């Protein structure tokens, strides 16, 4: 006859059961897909940027055999329409209804800021693959919020460093929302530090493309240079309007995104334009060579900055998942690994500041044919100091 178990034996049996249960659940985890909520625009002004980001993310996952951190990947895709008024509902739907493990998005700063708010409220991991709103890695920074792209200040600042080398006066033109305002602020800071003076900031609402009155005013002011922040479909029209107004030869145009991904559509109007970004055609490193070949094979066209940022978002998530062997419940460990990640990006080395914003090099590019050809590195390891981030 079996004797009743002693207290010690009960404790040992309970511990053994707990270990077995944990093992089973870890095993179940490894075959259960991680749910990736891709909240990107597939309509409107930024539709192409959303598509390129999506392509880049999926390319990295495919290269890992369809898995991240040993777990298959399931996508929940949502068109955010670059509409801030729908962002709260959209992000909450992905988190609360679809129960995604990670939110990835988006392009538009206003939409991404709301995603960051939802991510903070629900303690959901968020990886921002483009939108540069300063507050995301500034006043709203949080342990579970990462960005793989830039803060709007960064490309604006790097552009100002370049423009100040040749010009003493400038006028800025931008869409009136966080991205435009912050990009211009970064430009002004570096341009004026370099001895220049911004004479006037001109703007129009996002995504308005009636640039003519602003170009007329610019021509009247006659600065030595102009800096512009518009993006996506808007940049195609802007660059064409600028050339058609005869300004290309009289007032040199500076900008970050204005030729990215759109050279074929802009044609001769863009030829020779100098821009500053954290990726360029001709960036030389083995990762970039492989990336260009793989992307071109998969999608039938060469990649651009937005594809790189999508690719690196998947790389960053993979770093986190690998550190916990796919066990997404170990959030603190995942975050620790992601914070200290040193990512081999097609853009060059990529690491993260204390506020989880990229620290990266900025390149000068010149538009030749269908390429933004790298000619120089204008700022190395640029770090947004994010003084408002108090994690
Ligand atoms: C933004 O809204 O942050 C943004 C959109 C397109 C290109 C760059 C920045």
């Amino acid at each position: 006859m079996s004797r009743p178990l002693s207290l010690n034996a009960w404790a040992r049996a309970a511990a053994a059961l707990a270990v077995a249960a944990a093992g089973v659940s870890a095993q179940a985890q490894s075959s259960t897909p991680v749910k990736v909520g891709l909240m990107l625009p597939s309509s409107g002004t930024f539709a192409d940027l959303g598509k390129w980001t999506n392509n880049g993310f999926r390319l990295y996952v495919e290269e890992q055999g369809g898995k991240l951190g040993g777990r298959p990947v399931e996508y929940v895709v949502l068109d955010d329409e670059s509409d801030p008024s729908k962002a709260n509902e959209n992000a909450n739907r992905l988190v609360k209804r679809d129960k995604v493990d990670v939110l990835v998005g988006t392009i538009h700063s206003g939409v991404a800021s709301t995603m960051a708010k939802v991510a903070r409220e629900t303690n959901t991991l968020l990886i921002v693959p483009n939108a540069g709103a300063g507050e995301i890695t500034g006043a709203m920074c949080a342990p579970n919020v990462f960005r793989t792209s830039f803060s709007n200040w960064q490309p604006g600042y790097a552009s100002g460093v370049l423009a100040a080398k040749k010009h003493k006066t400038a006028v800025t033109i931008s869409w009136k929302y966080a991205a435009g305002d912050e990009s211009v602020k970064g430009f002004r800071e570096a341009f004026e530090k370099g001895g220049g003076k911004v004479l006037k900031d001109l703007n129009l609402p996002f995504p308005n493309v009636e640039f003519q009155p602003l170009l007329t005013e610019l021509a009247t002011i006659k600065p030595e240079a102009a800096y512009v922040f518009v993006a996506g479909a808007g940049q195609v029209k802007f660059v064409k309007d600028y050339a058609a107004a005869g300004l290309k030869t009289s007032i040199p145009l500076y900008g970050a995104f204005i030729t990215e991904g759109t050279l074929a559509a802009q044609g001769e109007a863009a030829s020779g334009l100098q821009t500053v970004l954290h990726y360029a055609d001709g960036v030389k490193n083995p990762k970039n060579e492989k990336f260009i070949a793989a992307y071109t094979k998969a999608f039938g066209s060469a990649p651009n900055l937005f594809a790189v940022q999508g690719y690196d978002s998947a790389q960053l998530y993979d770093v986190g998942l690998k550190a916990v062997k796919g066990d997404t419940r170990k959030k603190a460990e995942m975050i620790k690994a992601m914070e200290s990640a040193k990512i081999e990006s097609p853009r060059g080395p990529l690491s993260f500041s204390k506020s989880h914003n990229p620290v990266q090099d900025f390149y000068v590019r010149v538009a030749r044919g269908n390429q933004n050809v790298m000619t120089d590195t204008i700022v190395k390891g640029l770090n947004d100091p994010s003084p408002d981030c108090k994690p």
Side-chain angles (χ1 to χ4, degrees):
M1 220 170 89
S2 59
R3 279 188 296 148
L5 288 177
S6 70
L7 257 182
N8 256 349
W10 270 115
R12 278 200 303 275
L17 270 175
V19 169
V24 168
S25 93
Q27 248 175 10
Q29 278 248 333
S30 70
S31 57
T32 312
V34 277
K35 267 194 176 184
V36 175
L38 282 179
M39 184 163 151
L40 292 164
S42 54
S43 58
T45 301
F46 292 155
D48 280 341
L49 286 63
K51 178 182 75 184
W52 295 321
T53 307
N54 193 335
N55 287 350
F57 194 98
R58 287 171 190 259
L59 176 65
Y60 179 80
V61 174
E62 283 313 304
E63 287 177 353
Q64 314 312 306
K67 292 186 172 185
L68 290 179
R71 290 177 64 184
V73 175
E74 179 185 329
Y75 296 102
V76 185
V77 179
L78 190 153
D79 177 9
D80 67 38
E81 303 167 54
S82 296
D83 185 347
S85 73
K86 298 184 181 158
N88 192 50
E89 193 187 330
N90 283 336
N92 269 303
R93 184 186 314 161
L94 287 173
V95 172
K96 293 183 182 154
R97 188 193 71 181
D98 301 320
K99 308 225 175 320
V100 297
D101 293 296
V102 61
L103 272 175
V104 178
T106 184
I107 304 298
H108 185 286
S109 272
V111 178
S113 283
T114 299
M115 292 178 75
K117 180 180 94 33
V118 172
R120 281 170 64 110
E121 286 164 1
T122 58
N123 195 23
T124 306
L125 185 62
L126 167 66
I127 301 178
V128 179
N130 183 72
E135 64 183 359
I136 293 173
T137 52
M140 292 175 72
C141 75
N144 54 314
V145 174
F146 287 82
R147 174 153 52 200
T148 55
S149 49
F150 54 88
S151 68
N152 291 316
W153 175 88
Q154 285 178 307
Y157 182 91
S159 300
V161 172
L162 177 68
K165 287 184 185 293
K166 289 200 190 142
H167 310 288
K168 287 278 168 252
T169 58
V171 164
T172 70
I173 300 181
S174 62
W175 273 330
K176 187 83 199 127
Y177 78 111
D181 294 349
E182 293 168 5
S183 177
V184 161
K185 198 167 164 224
F187 176 83
R188 177 194 295 273
E189 185 182 328
F191 189 63
E192 299 198 339
K193 212 193 272 174
K197 178 92 193 112
V198 173
L199 303 180
K200 191 157 189 185
D201 296 325
L202 306 173
N203 40 58
L204 73 172
F206 169 86
N208 195 322
V209 290
E210 294 310 312
F211 300 118
Q212 208 51 57
L214 305 187
L215 296 180
T216 303
E217 192 172 350
L218 172 70
T220 313
I221 302 171
K222 290 196 180 62
E224 285 182 31
Y227 174 72
V228 64
F229 174 87
V230 289
Q235 76 197 34
V236 176
K237 178 152 191 304
F238 184 88
V239 165
K240 286 185 166 178
D241 286 1
Y242 201 83
L247 292 167
K248 200 176 156 201
T249 43
S250 55
I251 305 176
L253 179 62
Y254 291 82
F257 298 92
I258 51 172
T259 57
E260 190 62 18
T262 50
L263 285 170
Q266 289 164 323
E268 193 47 36
S271 176
L273 285 182
Q274 267 196 331
T275 51
V276 173
L277 275 177
H278 44 294
Y279 185 62
D281 291 302
V283 165
K284 282 219 176 332
N285 63 62
K287 186 83 178 185
N288 194 29
E289 273 170 36
K290 276 195 224 141
F291 171 72
I292 292 171
Y295 187 97
T296 308
K297 187 166 173 227
F299 302 108
S301 60
N304 56 37
L305 170 84
F306 302 101
V308 171
Q309 295 177 160
Y311 187 85
D312 290 341
S313 299
Q315 289 213 72
L316 178 63
Y317 190 39
D318 199 25
V319 167
L321 283 173
K322 276 184 175 145
V324 295
K325 299 194 171 53
D327 189 346
T328 46
R329 294 165 301 185
K330 297 182 176 165
K331 210 167 254 173
E333 276 178 58
M334 281 185 73
I335 287 171
K336 203 163 158 238
M338 290 166 72
E339 281 174 337
S340 54
K342 300 264 176 282
I343 289 187
E344 197 188 345
S345 165
R347 73 187 87 174
L350 170 64
S351 59
F352 298 90
S353 67
K354 67 164 182 30
S355 65
H356 298 176
N357 195 55
V359 179
Q360 55 195 343
D361 296 347
F362 277 80
Y363 307 113
V364 181
R365 309 113 46 87
V366 61
R368 289 195 195 117
N370 279 347
Q371 295 212 316
N372 289 296
V373 179
M374 178 189 167
T375 56
D376 197 5
T377 303
I378 188 77
V379 190
K380 274 196 92 62
L382 185 60
N383 178 17
D384 183 334
S386 315
D388 299 332
C389 170
K390 313 248 172 344

